[in-house]
Amino acid sequence: MSGRADSDSPPDTRAEEAGKAEEPEEPGRGDDAEAAGHGERDRQDRQGEQDEQDGDAPRRARWAATGTGAVLALAGTAASLLRLTGSAPALVPVAYACGAGTCALAAVLGSRGRTRRALWLSVAGLMVMALGDQFD
């Protein structure tokens, strides 16, 4: 055994059989002329829908980054204020406030289209808040 069992091409892609395959009819000839025309329009419609969906992806990413950053910033601010009024060490509310600030910056970057940086800043802000919670 050579250890290359999968090195052969599948039977439907071999060069010998490619010559035997029938060539497809040209659109507009034969009995399927109308069906070919409808198929072309369907393909164009699907491509137009795909283009619309692709155009919405950056907008959805901006909204997601902005919303996530804003929610995390509000949660961090609320936690910081709650910990400030309690008997926690001073480092805990400071950590929550720093994490909230980082998430707020992520929201601003997300609204400007820097979604990848906003994601990582949101993760970093959440980690700072979690680290601050460990000091409690």
Side-chain angles (χ1 to χ4, degrees), residues 27-76:
R29 293 190 182 182
D31 295 333
D32 295 331
E34 291 180 23
H38 290 297
E40 181 67 27
R41 275 183 276 173
D42 290 341
R43 184 175 37 229
Q44 289 175 351
D45 288 343
R46 281 180 286 186
Q47 185 177 7
E49 290 173 6
Q50 183 68 25
D51 290 343
E52 290 174 7
Q53 291 174 353
D54 290 344
D56 289 343
R59 183 180 312 139
R60 282 190 306 237
R62 284 192 300 269
W63 276 102
T66 303
T68 303
V71 166
L72 288 174
L74 287 174

Side-chain angles (χ1 to χ4, degrees), residues 1-23:
M1 289 185 80
S2 66
R4 295 178 52 165
D6 293 336
S7 63
D8 289 336
S9 298
D12 60 337
T13 59
R14 289 189 181 163
E16 304 140 9
E17 294 177 356
K20 296 178 187 176
E22 295 181 20
E23 293 184 19

